[in-house]
Amino acid sequence: MSHDSSSLKARAQELLEHAGVTIGGNRPTDLVVHDERTYARVFAHGSLGLGEAYMDGWWDVVDMPGFFARALSSHLDESLRTLDTLIAHLKARFLNMQRGENAWEVGRQHYDLGNDLFEAMLGKRLVYSCGYWAQADNLDDAQEAKLDLICRKLQLKPGQRILDIGCGWGEALKFAAERYGVSGVGVTISREQAAYAQELCKGLPVEIRLQDYHELDERFDAILSVGMFEHVGGKNHRSWFEVARRCLQPGGLAVLHSIGSNGAPGRPDPWIERYIFPNSVIPAMSQVATAVEGLFVVEDWHNFGADYDRTLMAWRANFDAAWPRLSARYDERFRRMWHFYLGCSAGVFRSRRDQLWQLTLSAEGVPGGYRVPR
């Protein structure tokens, strides 16, 4: 080992000790480093270097989510700032990793991966967003509970017409039409998703459009949007709420389901940006509050971020179970990339660095008040 890499290793170990992590230790959250170049790569390139070194097989950890939860809970990223400029690079975009849910809408590399991957990972319903685990003990029930929670918050009644902004594979509209007797319109900018959703909702009073939501100008009794707001970007938050306001009937309700950050507005994490979700940014509370001003009454702001940890762990278990057949189409580097993505993301939510918000909105305030279902 060169003098440089041994001093970098010593520095890395010193930092990790604050998080209760040892290099070469025997706990599941301890790191095993196979290639000494890992230290220089991480100190030079931050999370991008960390993720790429993992994809290349340079280091391993038995419990990836546990490792990231420790690193983030101990604010490892912040303590880096006190060291010299070498480490300033790492400074702590060290992680804000989970960057978006409805990934099929953010660019080729994610949604062209193929339905086989998502069908294997997501379970019975293709819902690529946080489940609701208040009463559920498995992923399929948690996703159904989440869809039902949204319908109950919207107070859906038979005969109503609803809008789903960024409708994904159409599961929410299908659920609402079947269980609550509503008709609906879903818009998406993904051809693949639109085709799938049209097939899924065949025979139901559901219209799926390949359309930019900004073009919408018609009234609906209720509006929902699940896991697409993360891809809107700070400059467009206001116009999202303006469209929702324009399209909501007087007396109607809207539910916005999005990952959120309790910090100041942030930049996308470079590893996530390159490998998973191009152009996605987690909204901060201040951005949402400003964007909604004068347009809606926020009847409720519900946070169940810790449920994302359980959702991601269930996705990972499904992915691993399906790997023997997926491995015909995806290589080992992809498997490691996907593990880093899911493990990292679970750690972010476990450490409570990122949140999962559902905002329930009314245009003028519900007369007499709104009692929120949980």
Side-chain angles (χ1 to χ4, degrees), residues 199-354:
E199 189 56 39
L200 184 79
C201 295
K202 216 176 226 168
L204 293 167
V206 169
E207 180 195 348
I208 305 292
R209 300 180 192 162
L210 195 60
Q211 183 181 28
D212 184 327
Y213 69 92
H214 291 98
E215 294 164 12
L216 290 163
D217 192 8
E218 58 200 274
R219 294 290 181 111
F220 296 88
D221 297 304
I223 296 174
L224 66 136
S225 183
V226 182
M228 71 77 75
F229 195 72
E230 300 88 336
H231 304 297
V232 164
K235 291 187 172 52
N236 305 306
H237 287 161
R238 180 75 179 176
S239 68
W240 189 97
F241 285 106
E242 286 168 347
V243 170
R245 182 72 162 83
R246 178 170 81 216
C247 291
L248 191 62
Q249 291 277 21
L253 294 166
V255 168
L256 172 63
H257 172 117
S258 174
I259 295 168
S261 159
N262 31 292
R267 293 200 312 284
D269 176 86
W271 186 86
I272 286 289
E273 175 81 15
R274 177 174 297 181
Y275 290 101
I276 307 291
F277 299 117
N279 314 318
S280 56
V281 187
I282 303 299
M285 234 168 192
S286 56
Q287 292 174 303
V288 175
T290 303
V292 83
E293 256 172 31
L295 291 172
F296 286 104
V297 173
V298 180
E299 297 286 358
D300 184 49
W301 195 314
H302 184 186
N303 179 5
F304 52 96
D307 284 14
Y308 227 141
D309 177 11
R310 291 184 72 175
T311 304
L312 284 150
M313 294 303 283
W315 287 348
R316 194 179 73 165
N318 283 349
F319 176 78
D320 287 345
W323 182 250
R325 64 174 198 277
L326 291 173
S327 62
R329 276 198 56 204
Y330 302 92
D331 63 10
E332 177 62 12
R333 193 164 195 264
F334 179 89
R335 188 187 72 83
R336 291 181 70 86
M337 176 183 88
W338 211 249
H339 261 205
F340 189 80
Y341 156 53
L342 295 174
C344 223
S345 301
V348 168
F349 289 99
R350 193 175 300 178
S351 71
R352 302 306 311 276
R353 279 288 186 100
D354 275 0

Side-chain angles (χ1 to χ4, degrees), residues 28 30-34 54 57-62 64 335-336:
D30 289 338
L31 302 191
V32 181
V33 176
H34 308 298
Y54 183 79
W58 288 13
W59 64 276
D60 273 300
V61 62
V62 174
M64 172 93 61
R335 188 187 72 83
R336 291 181 70 86

